[in-house]
Amino acid sequence: MGPRRSIFKKPRGKGGGGRQQQGYMSKDMKKKLKKEQAGRPPPTRFQRSLKHIERAQEATQAQKRQIEAERKYRQESNASFGGDAFSSSEEEEEEEGQADGEDGTAFEELAVEFNGPLGRTVIDSADESEEEEPVDEEMDEEEMGEEEEMDGEDEAAGMADEEEEENEDEDEALKLGSEASESEDEEHELEEEDPNDLSTDDDDDGAETNDPYMQHTAFNLSPAMLETIAAERPRVEQSKLSFPGLGNVLVELPKCGTVGKRPEPRGIFETERYAKPGTLPTVPDPDAPIDWKALHVKDKIARNITEPLDALQRDTFAILNAYQDLHVTQRSFENADRFRYVYCLHALNHVLKAVSKMQHHTVKLQAAKAAGRKRKKPAEDQFRRKLKVATVDEDPSGGLECRDQGFVRPKVLIVVPFRESALQCVTVLKRLFAGEGQEKGVLNWKRFTEEYGGASMAFPRKNPKPADYERTFAGNIDDNFRLSIAFNRSTMKLYAKYYSSDMIIASPLGLRMAIGAKGEKYRDYDFLASIELLIVDQAEVCYAQNWDHLLHVMEHLHHQPKSTEYTEFSRVREWCLSGWSKFYRQSVLLSAFELPDFRSLYNKHFRNYRGKVRTVARRDQQAAGTIRRVVVPVAQNFQRVETSTLDGAGLARFAHFVNVILPQARTVAMARCMIYVPSYFDYVRLRNHFKKEEISFTQICEYTPDGKIARARDMFFHGSKHFLLYSERAHFFRRHRIRGVRHLIFYGPPVFPHFYPELVNLMMKENQNPQDGVDDASMTVTVVYTRYDTYQLTEMVGMERANAMIKAPRSVHRFSTDQK
């Protein structure tokens, strides 16, 4: 790193003495030179702004002193010429000042000329003469000259500082790149807002309103409600409802005692209104017309809704609009677009309401502040008087308090696994916000379509992949992205800055990299401090990627910000200051099936005081499992491993496999045996054990290169390797068609239930090696399970059979293909 450039410039004069000499430096310049030599960090932008304000105030005071000196000098000159004719007492001066107030004297005209650019007004000294202190003594001409010289030096130093700061800002701007420059160029276009455009339908926080948004965010929690939901195991009241589209749902509402208002107020204390507890969601009529105004949907969104909602969308929106948590376990490729449309509609409606409320309050605060300045004239406008220090009781807004935001601006977080999913979400938001085919109000749309569209996987046509695989990995499948969106009444800006945005759409990996890991020097998760709406779509795909990334994000929600740079505490909601944001957050989780990890997330992190709802499969749906799709005539054995705790299930499963299953599988009759392992940690444990015991095996996992995968498949097909270790994530991301499988062992039930019939059907005769000489009737399928695999077993064999297999005294169960 080269020597640091000095911030001081050489004098422009050539030779000579006085101020043009090279060795001369003012006091301020000497101080700055000492700071530079001491190696102090450069001042921040906030500190530089304070210095500019101080210099401006000093310059203003110098102008006032100069005006006062000229006035006194003029009075003395008049007195020397006219004597008694021009002299007058203090009373006469006051009378003359009052008489000349309409026409204006030369002094007042001169004062207005100096104070006009600063937006100041001249105030009559008789209005606040009692509050001001006596006038300072007169100044000599020499002192005035010295002060003028010092002011000139200060101004020169300030100009040098400003030039240097401009150079530094230009250097920093050149380093930021095209993305930052593009966002800065469009920042003013987004922030400019016409106050006349603000709608008048915004009710005050304390007014009676039926808007679910106001009912959910405007009031604090009662002590009884807070005690109920803050407990380690919240006390809830469960109810079952049946929706025409969603089917059966289970509603959990916090059960607390007295909720509502406090007892009678004492003294000057007023009655405090508390947030109303959640109620059972209203079951909508699928045939009745939708009144968007009655549902409190913004008119800007309602006029862009061109497609009618079906029963499934109506039921989902009824729950979301009531600000209750929702967990749907019936998401599929057929209804994915319908669910996406509903939660994008709800998220956009929430953001526009919040933005409208904040802008409405901003206009009211500015009007109140302007009215306050007109009512009371500031004391600093009096010449030759000390500045009046503002007291704590003074409020520039006239006592108006508006609590309408959190610690930071981002309030909606949508987590999706791929860029293609983000593209579909933003497309829906654009259609709802700007209308069909309208791109004028959406900034950076072209850049977004180039980065999030385009590249797609090439699927083989000769041996096609399964249909669900092609639909899952269609489009751009990059899983490392973060997109922030800022909304205004007329503008939707993509690629906005984190702390200037209202909505963030990101992948679990992208958020994990933005947050950072524990111990890293640079970490930032303050942008997650005020998330009011969390939506996790395609949870099963996020689970296949890495479920720990999503858990890491959940653990960093609603932390107290480390920096207050983006926080306006006068407008932060009280429940946010109290640390209750997690009780106000609405969470939505959409998945294709049920898993213990999903249920754990639902029970632990879904703490909405309005209640939460999850779907429950009907009996007829739970009776049919994926085992019915098996077409290969093969015996299927299910072996239960006895374990008493969840922590010991892994060791018990490994011990059962090594001591019971592996000795039988190592025989010659069990050649070409594939071991399917759902968990990567179990996969590593088995691989290490096979290497230690020198067992003939080959392996395929999600990290295996393509060349080694082809070699492993070839060795297993021709019988040169006895075992094939195959991880579930490798099958999810690659979906290989493994040929030559004679014996299939599931180390655990597959997480994705449709993988079970898919893998078993690979044992059909078309995929076998005709030269191995093995009878097809000798093929076997073995599944190892524990009592904690209830959800996976339910998806595979149905609820009734799963419960029987868990509770039955015998530990081995056998199924055949023709068994119904």
Side-chain angles (χ1 to χ4, degrees), residues 211-281:
D211 190 354
Y213 170 78
M214 293 302 302
Q215 293 180 353
H216 180 65
T217 60
F219 307 105
N220 295 328
L221 298 177
S222 65
M225 175 66 72
L226 182 62
E227 181 181 359
T228 300
I229 61 179
E232 184 177 356
R233 291 186 177 181
R235 298 187 299 270
V236 296
E237 183 178 359
Q238 297 183 353
S239 303
K240 290 186 179 181
L241 293 177
S242 180
F243 283 82
L246 283 176
N248 299 330
V249 299
L250 180 65
V251 183
E252 298 182 6
L253 301 177
K255 184 179 180 181
C256 56
T258 305
V259 180
K261 297 183 179 180
R262 287 182 177 177
E264 292 297 329
R266 298 178 181 178
I268 61 175
F269 297 100
E270 298 180 355
T271 303
E272 180 179 357
R273 295 181 58 187
Y274 290 123
K276 297 180 180 180
T279 57
L280 293 177

Side-chain angles (χ1 to χ4, degrees), residues 751-774:
V751 173
F752 294 83
H754 61 279
F755 284 179
Y756 179 78
E758 182 177 324
L759 291 170
V760 175
N761 290 333
L762 290 177
M763 302 171 66
M764 63 179 54
K765 190 173 182 178
E766 290 78 4
N767 295 328
Q768 301 298 332
N769 188 352
Q771 299 179 0
D772 58 4
V774 179

Side-chain angles (χ1 to χ4, degrees), residues 10 32 34 242 307 381-382 419 518 775:
K10 295 181 180 180
K32 293 180 180 179
K34 290 181 180 180
S242 180
E307 301 177 359
D381 289 339
Q382 294 289 343
R419 284 181 181 259
K518 186 177 182 181
D775 186 12

Side-chain angles (χ1 to χ4, degrees), residues 450-471:
E450 292 176 353
E451 294 184 3
Y452 283 76
S456 179
M457 292 181 60
F459 302 107
R461 295 294 94 188
K462 183 177 181 180
N463 294 319
K465 301 287 186 179
D468 64 290
Y469 179 83
E470 294 186 359
R471 299 183 68 174

Side-chain angles (χ1 to χ4, degrees), residues 372-410:
R373 285 197 297 263
K374 292 181 180 179
R375 287 194 304 268
K376 185 175 182 180
K377 300 178 181 180
E380 57 267 22
D381 289 339
Q382 294 289 343
F383 294 99
R384 298 182 62 216
R385 297 181 185 275
K386 292 184 178 181
L387 296 176
K388 184 179 179 181
V389 181
T391 60
V392 180
D393 296 336
E394 291 183 353
D395 188 357
S397 62
L400 181 63
E401 184 180 37
C402 297
R403 301 284 183 175
D404 52 12
Q405 55 189 263
F407 288 114
V408 290
R409 182 173 174 179

